[in-house]
Amino acid sequence: MAVLSLQRQTEVIAAVKHKKELQHLDDAFVGKQLTILLRKKSTKDITAFLNASPRSEIYKKTIKELRALLRRQYGLFRSEESTPHISFEHCPPADIKKKVSLLLQNHSSTSERVEYYPQLYNSLQRITGPIQSVLDLGCGLNPLSLIFWKKIPERYSAYDLSTKEIKLLDQFFHCFQNKNPSFQGKAAVHDITDISFLKQLPFTDVSFLFKMTDILDQNKGHKKTEEILNAIPAHYVVISFPTVTMSGKRMTAPRRSWMEWLCQRLKYNYDIIELKNEIFYVVEK
Ligand SMILES: C[S@@+](CC[C@H](N)C(=O)[O-])C[C@H]1O[C@@H](n2cnc3c(N)ncnc32)[C@H](O)[C@@H]1O
């Protein structure tokens, strides 16, 4: 493949991130997706793109294609407008709960779960026993729900592609740590489809993959979920799915039979927790 200069890559990343819903996406991830997109093109098209002016048709078309690719993986469910601008910097512990509730209620992934968090974590610990360490992959704002745990874990690591959310979580963990000195929280930007990265993470009691499989599998079977499930160094992996459609209707068959067959084939036991709008497979590895 013709060589993509650093200057062109930087230009493309900046252009792609002009769209509001993509503005907080990790640069390295955008760069990686650009390489994937270019690999699918002919040498002639790549050369034309690499030398094209930013005003040319081929340049604009490539930016459009890259945005579409990124939206499918990252941006579809994001509504920046509705996320309140809240910070945990200099946050008195008494304010944490109020801020967390506001944020969770306004985030598309967590809003429908927010009133069920205590039930979720109680049911989960009845299955797994006490949880000391958590790894939350593609975490979004879910780690904020730590405030709903009866007995908080000692260690919580969270990874996502959104620089904005990771920054917020980092502040939140600092705040939370002030209140609970034995707690250790870590939030970082990382692509969780990077299998070698997953494999070198410290072993945890429980890992969360909440509402992630559609994004990971991209309508191409379930190989990616399987690969990630196998690579995660955890005793339990909790995989969740919505049980309402995009239009808010209850699904007639909320269970995911492919998930159950996958566990049977891999010889993993699983339990199920059902909340009003979401089903959780608690997979024991
Ligand atoms: C549907 S949301 C789920 C958020 C959270 N798990 C929850 O259920 O509350 C998907 C999240 O995955 C993140 N994401 C998508 N692809 C990712 C990847 N390859 N690596 C890390 N995070 C990713 C997105 O930024 C987004 O926060």
Side-chain angles (χ1 to χ4, degrees):
M1 191 172 99
V3 181
L4 176 66
S5 71
L6 186 61
Q7 190 192 344
R8 172 101 317 179
Q9 179 166 338
T10 312
E11 237 170 57
V12 172
I13 293 173
V16 161
K17 290 174 69 170
H18 269 137
K19 288 285 173 200
K20 205 167 181 173
E21 72 278 17
L22 299 174
Q23 66 183 327
H24 299 294
L25 187 49
D26 178 39
D27 285 359
F29 184 74
V30 180
K32 192 164 132 188
Q33 297 304 315
L34 172 62
T35 310
I36 292 172
L37 179 70
L38 292 181
R39 275 207 196 110
K40 290 183 190 148
K41 293 184 180 290
S42 68
T43 314
K44 189 171 148 239
D45 280 354
I46 296 173
T47 313
F49 165 73
L50 294 180
N51 298 310
S53 131
R55 279 192 294 274
S56 65
E57 275 315 303
I58 185 145
Y59 186 89
K60 287 184 191 159
K61 185 171 163 262
T62 310
I63 298 287
K64 233 180 176 172
E65 288 170 349
L66 183 54
R67 282 192 184 132
L69 185 67
L70 293 168
R71 278 194 196 100
R72 275 205 298 280
Q73 304 194 43
Y74 165 84
L76 267 184
F77 44 85
R78 285 178 185 275
S79 53
E80 295 285 341
E81 295 77 17
S82 65
T83 307
H85 291 286
I86 287 177
S87 152
F88 288 98
E89 230 171 1
H90 319 298
C91 172
D95 281 1
I96 297 185
K97 208 163 187 167
K98 215 164 54 194
K99 290 188 176 190
V100 164
S101 300
L102 207 58
L103 280 162
L104 292 178
Q105 271 156 16
N106 280 282
H107 199 272
S108 55
S109 290
T110 48
S111 61
E112 54 194 21
R113 187 187 298 143
V114 74
E115 60 183 295
Y116 302 101
Y117 269 122
Q119 186 189 337
L120 169 64
Y121 293 135
N122 288 341
S123 306
L124 180 60
Q125 299 208 48
R126 270 200 293 276
I127 296 168
T128 62
I131 297 173
Q132 310 288 4
S133 52
V134 176
L135 171 65
D136 197 339
L137 297 171
C139 59
L141 292 183
N142 186 61
L144 299 179
S145 66
L146 260 170
I147 64 159
F148 297 111
W149 288 64
K150 249 193 205 147
K151 185 177 177 311
I152 57 162
E154 285 169 7
R155 197 156 52 82
Y156 199 115
S157 307
Y159 295 94
D160 200 282
L161 290 175
S162 165
T163 52
K164 184 181 175 191
E165 279 161 19
I166 290 300
K167 189 170 162 219
L168 187 79
L169 291 175
D170 208 35
Q171 291 173 357
F172 166 74
F173 282 150
H174 272 105
C175 235
F176 200 72
Q177 224 153 309
N178 288 341
K179 215 174 144 207
N180 308 278
S182 63
F183 172 79
Q184 276 187 304
K186 175 191 165 143
V189 172
H190 215 290
D191 177 3
I192 65 148
T193 62
D194 177 350
I195 299 296
S196 49
F197 165 73
L198 292 180
K199 284 187 174 164
Q200 56 77 47
L201 289 170
F203 192 83
T204 46
D205 292 338
V206 174
S207 175
F208 296 155
L209 267 181
F210 289 174
K211 294 186 186 164
M212 286 303 292
T213 63
D214 285 353
I215 296 171
L216 299 172
D217 289 329
Q218 293 283 307
N219 272 329
K220 292 180 191 144
H222 302 291
K223 279 270 163 264
K224 198 69 202 176
T225 295
E226 178 172 346
E227 199 185 0
I228 290 175
L229 174 61
N230 279 327
I232 294 174
H235 187 176
Y236 291 91
V237 180
V238 187
I239 302 183
S240 88
F241 303 88
T243 54
V244 284
T245 61
M246 295 287 260
S247 58
K249 270 197 184 152
R250 268 203 78 69
M251 290 176 183
T252 41
R255 284 173 73 148
R256 302 306 199 267
S257 40
W258 68 265
M259 184 68 218
E260 301 181 14
W261 292 331
L262 178 68
C263 289
Q264 275 161 24
R265 183 161 56 75
L266 298 175
K267 302 205 170 15
Y268 292 153
N269 290 327
Y270 64 86
D271 280 282
I272 289 176
I273 299 172
E274 278 192 82
L275 300 185
K276 188 164 171 243
N277 297 321
E278 197 169 357
I279 186 166
F280 298 77
Y281 285 85
V282 184
V283 181
E284 184 175 11
K285 291 185 46 169

